[in-house]
Amino acid sequence: MEEIEILYSEETIAKRVDELAKTLYEKYHNEEVVFICTLKGAVFFACDLLKKYKGDARMEFLRVSSYKGTESTGKIELNLSISKDNIKDKHVVIIEDIVDTGNTLLFLNNYVKEMEPKTLEICTLLDKKIKRMVDIDPTYAGFVVDDLFVIGYGLDYDQKYRNLPYIGVLKKTKKISI
Ligand code: IMP
Ligand code: MG
């Protein structure tokens, strides 16, 4: 395995996830919320976040793909969809792993909006703000990261490293521009 530099430890992530769960609960308290976990990257984050969320939650899953290695293919494909009945007139929060150019999030946001949710917010673990190419921002972000290719805690490099309990940077891919 390549050398990995730890960016956010397991403890640091857990603490931030706890804070985000509290922030979301303060917003929605007793109202039911549909949380949409975007596969595969956000699965660790979504599970941990929802275990800490004290309100009434439902869980849905969406799957889009847009990346090969550290290069964006520039094309977003929906591989798993949701029925409109599960979204219409409900409070919805999209859970993302990382927002980079924003293209994926814009696509997801438009897809969900068409199903007429009552409200729609976005909660991402990581925000690579500096890379944004389109006009969309997450409502909540765990950490703002620099222009580095990060792995672990759900995030992959060619489908590898998702199971790392921390978020790190592959030393040999450090400072790669994607
Ligand atoms: P965007 O459409 O450019 O915002 O890219 C979003 C998607 O690209 C994320 O959901 C990830 O799947 C992937 N991605 C972007 N940056 C990274 C990274 O640093 N590590 C791993 N995946 C990334
Ligand atoms: Mg993602």
Side-chain angles (χ1 to χ4, degrees):
M1 221 187 233
E2 291 87 345
E3 225 184 311
I4 296 162
E5 186 183 313
I6 297 179
L7 210 56
Y8 300 108
S9 70
E10 221 176 324
E11 294 73 27
T12 305
I13 297 168
K15 194 164 164 272
R16 190 69 187 111
V17 169
D18 212 11
E19 286 169 6
L20 287 170
K22 285 195 182 105
T23 304
L24 285 163
Y25 183 64
E26 276 160 22
K27 167 83 195 246
Y28 295 105
H29 37 268
N30 296 323
E31 303 226 48
E32 185 186 81
V33 181
V34 181
F35 290 94
I36 302 178
C37 169
T38 58
L39 297 172
K40 302 172 189 172
V43 76
F44 289 60
F45 175 45
C47 291
D48 286 348
L49 183 70
L50 293 194
K51 279 190 284 179
K52 294 288 178 179
Y53 181 72
K54 292 196 168 65
D56 191 356
R58 290 190 183 202
M59 223 177 167
E60 293 291 336
F61 296 88
L62 271 180
R63 185 166 175 206
V64 289
S65 47
S66 63
Y67 268 77
K68 295 244 188 312
T70 57
E71 296 289 324
S72 171
T73 61
K75 202 171 132 231
I76 298 159
E77 280 172 16
L78 187 69
N79 310 120
L80 178 67
S81 55
I82 302 178
S83 149
K84 187 171 173 176
D85 299 347
N86 296 329
I87 300 295
K88 193 170 162 39
D89 301 326
K90 297 183 191 294
H91 294 296
V92 176
V93 176
I94 297 173
I95 304 179
E96 258 288 24
D97 49 356
I98 187 162
V99 185
D100 184 14
T101 62
N103 283 314
T104 308
L105 186 56
L106 189 65
F107 176 93
L108 287 168
N109 201 61
N110 290 340
Y111 172 78
V112 176
K113 242 191 209 164
E114 273 179 24
M115 292 188 274
E116 299 164 44
K118 192 181 204 172
T119 61
L120 179 57
E121 291 193 312
I122 297 143
C123 181
T124 187
L125 179 63
L126 303 171
D127 186 0
K128 233 187 251 183
K129 244 184 195 332
I130 199 166
K131 293 285 297 294
R132 201 73 87 254
M133 282 168 57
V134 291
D135 187 22
I136 190 155
D137 276 314
T139 327
Y140 314 94
F143 307 97
V144 173
V145 287
D146 292 337
D147 184 10
L148 297 168
F149 197 82
V150 293
I151 48 158
Y153 196 67
L155 292 145
D156 73 305
Y157 171 63
D158 265 348
Q159 300 303 323
K160 285 202 293 186
Y161 308 108
R162 289 195 199 275
N163 60 321
L164 296 176
Y166 52 82
I167 293 166
V169 183
L170 271 182
K171 286 207 170 156
K172 69 169 204 181
T173 63
K174 206 174 166 182
K175 294 205 168 66
I176 267 184
S177 180
I178 58 168

